[in-house]
Amino acid sequence: MSEEIEATELANELLMEQVDKDEGAPGERHWHRLVAFSTLIFAMFAALGGLLSGITAHESTQEKTQEVISLTILEGDRVSVEVLKAKHDILLSLGESPDEAEIEAIRAFELEIEQKREEFAEEERLVQAIGQTHLIFAISVTFMAVAISLNGMSVVLGQKWLWVLGMVPGLVGAVGLVLGIITMLD
């Protein structure tokens, strides 16, 4: 994301230099100011989107780590239950009765395993939701970077239609940023 933010800042600086150099008609200066203002807004949104994308990536990594830890504990408990069941099967085949405390331990482990499976499923849903939010932010930042590039090209080439065209991905990126924030708060 930092490369996109740096590219956005560079494009904004170049655009501002071009606007400062412009000695065209007053209408041209007004148009260039509109382009500069919209580019500045998209650059700020892109920076915010980059920040939120980084935050969600970090959250996703933490949740995935917690998920792996939970899965490891779940597998350890499952192995303990299987060992105790195998021991009981061996005792039964030898004509001896298994210890009642171990039978209770097996039941307790099985209940704990079921609870951990439910927790694991919930953690998996959370990881997926955070990943989706991260993706929304990343795509939004990309759309705004495209808008900033088109805005800059419109001034350099003197083509207003490029600025209008650049507003489309910029607005899509801004809407995506808002959607990502709403998703993040849910």
Side-chain angles (χ1 to χ4, degrees), residues 140-151:
S140 296
V141 169
T142 302
F143 270 103
M144 286 184 270
V146 169
I148 290 166
S149 297
L150 288 172
N151 285 354

Side-chain angles (χ1 to χ4, degrees), residues 3-182:
E3 297 92 20
E4 291 172 342
I5 293 172
E6 288 176 19
T8 299
E9 290 173 357
L10 179 62
N12 196 37
E13 288 174 17
L14 292 173
L15 180 61
M16 294 307 289
E17 287 175 14
Q18 183 69 26
V19 169
D20 289 340
K21 290 180 191 175
D22 184 31
E23 296 185 17
E28 289 293 307
R29 280 186 291 213
H30 177 70
W31 170 63
H32 286 175
R33 281 191 167 77
L34 287 175
V35 173
F37 180 72
S38 64
T39 302
L40 179 63
I41 296 297
F42 291 145
M44 289 186 327
F45 282 168
L48 178 61
L51 174 68
L52 294 173
S53 179
I55 289 170
T56 54
H58 179 71
E59 281 182 31
S60 179
T61 302
Q62 285 182 318
E63 288 298 327
K64 194 64 174 174
T65 301
Q66 186 60 41
E67 181 182 348
V68 168
I69 291 169
S70 295
L71 181 61
T72 303
I73 292 169
L74 178 69
E75 285 302 308
D77 289 348
R78 189 189 61 75
V79 168
S80 295
V81 166
E82 292 301 319
V83 167
L84 286 174
K85 283 183 176 180
K87 177 184 172 188
H88 289 181
D89 289 343
I90 292 170
L91 287 173
L92 288 173
S93 67
L94 293 174
E96 297 180 25
S97 63
D99 184 12
E100 285 297 320
E102 286 181 351
I103 293 173
E104 282 302 313
I106 290 174
R107 288 186 189 125
F109 270 135
E110 287 175 335
L111 285 173
E112 187 177 335
I113 288 170
E114 189 56 38
Q115 289 173 340
K116 286 182 181 176
R117 278 196 179 121
E118 291 170 9
E119 290 172 12
F120 179 73
E122 181 60 34
E123 286 176 8
E124 181 63 26
R125 283 190 289 278
L126 184 58
V127 167
Q128 288 177 354
I130 293 170
Q132 289 290 76
T133 304
H134 171 73
L135 184 61
I136 290 169
F137 286 135
I139 290 171
S140 296
V141 169
T142 302
F143 270 103
M144 286 184 270
V146 169
I148 290 166
S149 297
L150 288 172
N151 285 354
M153 289 187 330
S154 74
V155 171
V156 172
L157 299 175
Q159 301 292 319
K160 289 182 183 180
W161 66 270
L162 276 174
W163 174 61
V164 173
L165 181 65
M167 293 300 287
V168 174
L171 293 173
V172 168
V175 168
L177 181 64
V178 170
L179 177 64
I181 290 170
I182 290 169

